[in-house]
């Protein structure tokens, strides 16, 4: 005979993790319109928007072998960035429209899948000395450029940030209902629609419940995913 037992999982079994918020002084986004590998594969244009709070360098590296991304993320210092082949531009604080034009001799379009190169990697690095060892000093955006193999749009595949002490972190999105640019940074709880959605559930990364509703919700109310860990965001 088998004995049976039932384990009741509630969100209270989830482990709270403490995460330090990281201030990222810049952002880089790709504008799909007008971006793509052209028919000949040579005059490719990618339009981007750079926002920076600080003076920075932007280095545009074309046709980066996928196998060398790790090295690029870990050893790049301000001086190294200037040494890498590529187009380097300097910007002051503010918003800047960037037109990145590929002028290399080899075609960006790869002959077959799987692709072996990232068509474009943008490295943004602040010019001034970091304020502290934990300050974010660089952003590395790995960019896919639309080609003929798939219909995937020109877009940023991954973003990494590097802190002054050398730590490299892959940025992952949080999914919350907060409207971008709205005055309410957290959005409202998807259960009670009243309190701020201060609790972010992991691994699904939905920031969708308030503290009170989280205490009585065994699974994520949006995706019904199992909640292994959570963290809270300040109001
Ligand atoms: Zn609630
Ligand atoms: Zn979820």
């Amino acid at each position: 005979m088998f004995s049976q037992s039932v384990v009741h999982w509630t969100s209270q079994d989830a482990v709270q993790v403490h995460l330090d918020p990281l201030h990222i002084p810049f952002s880089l986004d790709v504008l799909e319109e007008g971006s793509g590998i052209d028919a000949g594969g040579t005059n490719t244009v990618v339009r981007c928007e750079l926002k920076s709070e600080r003076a920075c360098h932007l280095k545009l590296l074309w046709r980066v072998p996928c196998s060398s991304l790790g090295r690029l993320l870990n050893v790049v210092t301000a001086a190294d960035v200037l040494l890498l082949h590529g187009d380097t531009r300097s910007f002051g604080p503010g918003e800047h429209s960037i037109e990145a034009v590929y002028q290399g001799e080899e075609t960006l379009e790869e002959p077959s899948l799987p692709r072996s190169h990232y068509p474009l990697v943008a490295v943004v690095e602040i010019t001034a000395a970091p304020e502290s060892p934990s300050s974010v000093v660089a952003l590395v955006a790995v960019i896919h450029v639309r080609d003929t193999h798939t219909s995937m749009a020109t877009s940023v595949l991954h973003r990494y940030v590097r802190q002054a002490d050398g730590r490299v972190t892959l940025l992952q999105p949080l999914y919350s209902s907060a409207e971008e640019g709205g005055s309410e940074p957290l959005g409202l709880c998807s259960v009670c629609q009243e309190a701020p959605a201060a609790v972010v559930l992991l691994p699904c990364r939905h920031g969708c419940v308030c503290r009170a509703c989280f205490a009585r919700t065994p699974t994520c109310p949006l995706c019904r995913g199992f909640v292994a860990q959570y963290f809270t965001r300040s109001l």
Side-chain angles (χ1 to χ4, degrees):
M1 290 293 287
F2 294 98
S3 64
Q4 290 192 335
S5 66
V6 176
V7 179
H8 291 283
W9 285 95
T10 71
S11 55
Q12 297 310 297
D13 296 313
V15 177
Q16 182 168 14
V17 290
H18 294 278
L19 302 178
D20 292 326
L22 207 55
H23 178 70
I24 302 171
F26 25 53
S27 67
L28 187 104
D29 292 295
V30 167
L31 310 175
E32 156 67 5
E33 197 183 337
S35 296
I37 293 180
D38 79 328
T42 48
N43 277 314
T44 295
V45 176
V46 177
R47 292 174 217 286
C48 311
E49 188 175 63
L50 170 68
K51 293 180 187 167
S52 180
E53 294 170 8
R54 315 276 302 273
C56 60
H57 293 305
L58 169 69
K59 187 91 183 178
L60 298 168
L61 305 166
W62 294 96
R63 285 193 94 244
V64 175
C66 298
S67 57
S68 55
L69 184 67
R71 217 171 52 220
L72 183 70
L73 291 173
N74 286 299
V75 304
V76 173
T77 65
D80 292 337
V81 168
L82 294 173
L83 289 175
L84 290 168
H85 281 294
D87 170 7
T88 305
R89 309 177 197 183
S90 298
F91 295 96
E95 295 185 23
H96 309 281
S97 295
I98 315 284
E99 189 168 271
V101 182
Y102 177 64
Q103 290 172 323
E105 297 190 347
E106 288 178 82
T107 173
L108 274 185
E109 173 100 28
E110 301 206 31
S112 59
L113 299 178
R115 300 176 178 90
S116 58
H117 291 70
Y118 294 114
L120 178 60
V121 176
V123 182
V124 187
E125 192 149 46
I126 58 168
T127 334
E131 285 160 7
S132 80
S134 61
S135 302
V136 170
V137 293
L139 169 76
V140 177
V142 180
I143 296 167
H144 168 76
V145 182
R146 180 167 43 78
D147 61 20
T148 58
H149 292 300
T150 65
S151 58
M152 186 176 169
T154 299
S155 54
V156 178
L157 296 172
H158 311 290
R159 289 179 179 83
Y160 298 86
V161 292
R162 190 160 37 78
Q163 291 166 261
D165 58 13
R167 276 181 287 171
V168 173
T169 307
L170 170 66
L171 295 184
Q172 297 183 72
L174 286 184
Y175 306 104
S176 77
S177 55
E179 284 181 25
E180 217 167 303
S183 56
E184 172 53 74
L186 296 185
L188 290 178
C189 172
S190 58
V191 179
C192 66
Q193 302 288 338
E194 281 176 8
V199 180
V200 180
L201 311 175
L202 298 173
C204 69
R205 308 185 75 82
H206 282 127
C208 60
V209 280
C210 71
R211 291 164 205 262
C213 293
F214 171 66
R216 9 174 233 270
T217 310
T219 55
C220 173
L222 290 189
C223 68
R224 304 187 188 94
F226 170 69
V227 181
Q229 296 179 315
Y230 69 97
F231 63 93
T232 58
R233 293 187 287 173
S234 49
L235 305 180

